[in-house]
Amino acid sequence: MNTTPIPAVRPLPRAAGPRAATSGVSLSLPFANDPRCLGGLRAAAAAFLRDTRPARAAHLADVLLVVTELAANVVRHTDGPGQLTLVAHPDGTRIEASDTSRALPVVLPFAPGLGHGRGLLLVRALAENLSLTLDPGSGKTIRATLRDRSA
């Protein structure tokens, strides 16, 4: 397994305040290569976060943005199905998007007027850690760890 870190744009401050109600709990959702699945993934992620991190609206918004961007990249740039995994941690959430393609994602620089191509740039800006793992023979997984900045 080859893991490559994708550098963060800026470090995020450690969250202060209450910890997650549930830690180490995960949700794993297979999804089809179909843009119509994105709303269901967001709804499932929102329900998971409400159960594990109640009353943290800013963190919920950040995680849902990352879920949408990573899952949309799987749908847009691969031919196979994907797998979305969320893991609750004491001070944040890890989001993983796996797919069957071994093609490496490209983080495009910001360009005014470009109508697409900013997803990984947004994810990288929100994530404390962002990494890519090439899974031997089966594709890749992108992991983004978000600290709960809403406390």
Side-chain angles (χ1 to χ4, degrees):
M1 196 169 6
N2 180 14
T3 300
T4 305
I6 301 173
V9 171
R10 59 183 165 75
L12 297 177
R14 289 192 175 265
R19 297 264 185 220
T22 306
S23 179
V25 174
S26 65
L27 172 68
S28 189
L29 302 165
F31 62 96
N33 192 326
D34 184 336
R36 294 174 293 184
C37 72
L38 297 176
L41 291 172
R42 284 177 56 89
F48 173 77
L49 286 171
R50 286 187 188 107
D51 288 345
T52 60
R53 308 192 68 76
R56 296 187 177 194
H59 186 66
L60 174 66
D62 289 348
V63 169
L64 292 181
L65 176 61
V66 171
V67 163
T68 301
E69 293 301 332
L70 293 182
N73 282 348
V74 170
V75 170
R76 178 174 289 143
H77 300 293
T78 73
D79 293 329
Q83 180 89 15
L84 178 72
T85 303
L86 293 107
V87 182
H89 289 287
D91 53 0
T93 304
R94 185 176 74 231
I95 303 110
E96 301 178 358
S98 300
D99 61 58
T100 57
S101 170
R102 291 183 57 83
L104 299 177
V106 176
V107 180
L108 299 174
F110 177 76
L114 186 62
H116 60 84
R118 295 188 181 111
L120 281 179
L121 190 63
L122 289 170
V123 171
R124 192 168 71 175
L126 289 171
E128 179 180 58
N129 294 307
L130 184 63
S131 66
L132 167 73
T133 301
L134 291 176
D135 304 318
S138 64
K140 67 182 170 296
T141 300
I142 296 180
R143 285 177 192 82
T145 303
L146 277 66
R147 287 215 180 267
D148 185 348
R149 301 178 297 137
S150 64

